[in-house]
Structure formats: structure tokens, C-alpha cells
Amino acid sequence: MFEPYSDDKTNRGVLTEHALEGRLDEWVQTVVEGGCSPVLHAIGDEAVQVAIKAVRAIHEQSRATIEHVQFATPGIVDLVSSTPGIRLSMQPLHRAEDAIYAEAAVGPERAACMLPLATLANAGARLSFGSDWPVVSVDPIAGMAAAITGLDVRGRSFYPKECLDVERVLRGYTTEAAEASGMEHLGSLGTGMLADFVLWDQDPFQLDWTQSRPSIMATVMAGELVAGTLEIGEIVS
């Protein structure tokens, strides 16, 4: 972090490995020259800034991704705005889990900058979502609920202006996650895709996510039913 934790004035976290040694730019270039896409893990605002600056010149060509991005203070948001399309891989359920500690740990001003999903999306970032399992649950529906409702794990609202709509969250867990992983044959349905999909028991676009969550009735992978039951009429409808 740029500033110490509010509940531990002697601690602001640490940079590690290449970032600590001042060789992150060199490492990114080596990865790209090797035909791969760099993925950088950054949690605190200082680490996130270092990571964005390291990949901003090559992110469009290399599918560079910054993982976690727990804190994005206003300076970070400005940096994202000047780096349109930068890929940020985030974990919405961390927002619901960590909200109960955030203000005590970093104070209310920085707590508002913890996983600011809508702010980053509106600044032009491409958001892909995951779980960070086993740190938190791998259940994508729980993560979706956290991003859509802005509720913490106690059911209390946590900076609801950072909520995202259902479509954007679905894309984060499907198409954007697939593209960030270099697996464009996954994440949507279409010619040449693997035909991975699920059947919901409720329409996620019509559901009040603050009151309930949908369940999965069937799962199909590569066109084969692997869980639940499925009738052709259910797909057509």
C-alpha cells in the first residue's frame, strides 16, 4: 500500500520478487518475447500501480492481465482510464468477505476503493472474474451475487455504487474470463465453440438477487450432459 494500514501503522505490505528488485519491466518484456502473456498479481494500490505501468505499453498485443486488484485508489483509476482495455482479473466474493474488515484495516476512504468494480469498468478496464479458491468459495453464483448486489457476507450494503448489472457480471465470469485465459473457444455459444452451458431454474436477468439466487438444473460440457437433467424443449424455451 502507499500508506500504512489504519490498524497497523508500521505495516503497508511489501513488494516481492521482480517488483521489489526493480526488474518487473524486464520480466514483462522477456515473457512477451517468449510468446506468452504476462500475468501479474497485485493487491495493494502501490502494487497495482506498479503492475499497470509495467504492462500498459504491451497489454493490447499480449493479453497481459493483472490479478486480484484489491485496491484501486483514484490515481489507479486515472491510470486505468489512460490504458483503455487493460485486463483486470478480480474476485467479487472477496469484496463481500473483506468488507466486514475493510474500514478497520484501511479506514473509510480507502475502504471505498476496495474492489471498485463499477468504477474500474466505467474507466475502460476489461474485467474478468474468478474465485481465488481456496481462499474463498469457488461457487461462481456466490461471486455473481456479491458483484450484483454489493452486499457483504452479513447482508449489509457495502458501497453499492460499485455494483454491476447482471449482463456485465455474466460476461466477467464467462467470455472475459475465457479470453483472459487464452481460451476463446469457451465462454459463449456459437460456431466453433465447445457448447459448454448451464440451465438455470430462474432467469438471472429477472431475478432480485438481493432476495434469492438462481440454481443450476443441468450442466452441459462440450455438448454432453454431465450433471442434472435436460429436455430439448427446455433449451428451446
Side-chain angles (χ1 to χ4, degrees):
M1 304 286 282
F2 281 116
E3 300 295 334
Y5 287 93
S6 298
D7 57 357
D8 185 354
K9 299 297 185 181
T10 65
N11 179 19
R12 62 184 188 92
V14 294
L15 295 174
T16 62
E17 300 178 340
H18 302 300
L20 178 64
E21 297 163 2
R23 297 191 296 109
L24 193 57
D25 291 350
E26 176 187 343
W27 174 82
V28 167
Q29 191 61 39
T30 300
V31 170
V32 173
E33 289 174 355
C36 298
S37 296
V39 179
L40 295 74
H41 187 264
I43 295 180
D45 54 354
E46 182 176 2
V48 172
Q49 177 170 295
V50 169
I52 293 175
K53 287 184 175 181
V55 303
R56 64 184 312 192
I58 51 85
H59 78 282
E60 293 180 342
Q61 295 78 30
S62 72
R63 199 188 287 110
T65 304
I66 301 173
E67 188 74 33
H68 213 113
V69 195
Q70 184 91 353
F71 286 94
T73 43
I76 302 297
V77 177
D78 291 342
L79 196 55
V80 168
S81 296
S82 65
T83 316
I86 190 168
R87 296 178 186 270
L88 307 180
S89 174
M90 305 173 75
Q91 300 81 33
L93 194 52
H94 266 306
R95 195 171 190 278
E97 295 269 355
D98 297 348
I100 62 177
Y101 313 110
E103 291 199 0
V106 298
E109 183 175 348
R110 284 186 293 176
C113 301
M114 188 183 78
L115 291 162
L117 304 178
T119 294
L120 290 171
N122 294 335
R126 297 187 64 174
L127 303 185
S128 58
F129 296 142
S131 68
D132 204 25
W133 183 86
V135 180
V136 297
S137 170
V138 74
D139 181 6
I141 297 177
M144 288 182 63
I148 293 165
T149 68
L151 300 178
D152 66 20
V153 292
R154 302 165 299 186
R156 299 177 183 176
S157 181
F158 181 77
Y159 298 97
K161 69 181 181 67
E162 297 298 345
C163 296
L164 295 174
D165 60 59
V166 175
E167 180 176 354
R168 185 168 276 181
V169 174
L170 276 171
R171 289 186 180 280
Y173 275 101
T174 55
T175 55
E176 293 291 352
E179 290 181 20
S181 301
M183 296 187 290
E184 287 86 350
H185 58 294
L186 302 174
S188 63
L189 295 178
T191 303
M193 310 299 275
L194 274 190
D196 291 354
F197 63 91
V198 298
L199 178 66
W200 303 86
D201 68 339
Q202 302 178 72
D203 183 345
F205 292 95
Q206 300 299 322
L207 184 67
D208 181 354
W209 284 76
T210 64
Q211 300 300 314
S212 62
R213 300 177 185 176
S215 297
I216 304 300
M217 299 176 62
T219 301
V220 173
M221 295 181 64
E224 298 291 332
L225 180 67
V226 297
T229 59
L230 185 65
E231 299 291 338
I232 295 299
E234 291 178 301
I235 301 176
V236 173
S237 61

